[in-house]
Amino acid sequence: MIENDQKKLNNLIMLISEIADIKDFDVIMDKILKSAREFVNCDAGSIFIKKENTLLFSYSQNDTLSKRLKLGQKLLYTTFSLPINERSIAGHVAFTGEALNIEDAYSLPKSLSYTFNKQYDERAHYKTRSILTIPMKTSSGKIIGVLQLINKTNEKAEVIPFNPDEIPYINSFANITAGALERAQLMRMVILRMIRMAELRDPKETGNHVNRVAGYSIEIY
């Protein structure tokens, strides 16, 4: 048991070190979500970013849905926002600052303040079962987002509940990487403001040129 815990801790330290070197906001979200999913072995996950009193559904991964895609297709998801309150799972976690470990999303007691929204499952023809939702806090205690992991699987690819023993590791991982994510977010804001300043200098051409370069860069990436 001690040897296994040490192995998990070493893996966690290695992942955090890799993420600390990433500066791009989108790339860092991809790495955080992928690393967290691999750490607990789960099928899907999402990152919500806090903006004032709402959570923006900002990034998503889903192995099951990705396997259904044809060659060259990408996993598409709808961007939406949630109010930070106790009614939704992610909103509850951002509101309380406490993690939620749900064994079966479809069997939540009606007495709870939060509910599971089945609309995404119905549209995507997907079945969400186990959910682990973690607040992403900086070293100052500021919540900048929520990390949500979905459908942990065993060796037989069967969906099982998340192990409570894994929560402290994922919680630490989410908190430490929150700082790196916040820095990348600030860097993006600075770049966007610099672009707007450049547009003011030559609004007819500079802004269009920047947008064209950005479009080519995204396609190449």
Side-chain angles (χ1 to χ4, degrees), residues 150-180:
I150 296 171
N151 285 356
K152 178 180 175 64
T153 56
N154 59 18
E155 296 79 4
K156 298 179 181 179
E158 298 170 331
V159 176
I160 60 174
F162 286 89
N163 187 343
D165 293 337
E166 294 175 327
I167 296 179
Y169 293 102
I170 292 296
N171 197 46
S172 297
F173 174 78
N175 290 344
I176 295 173
T177 56

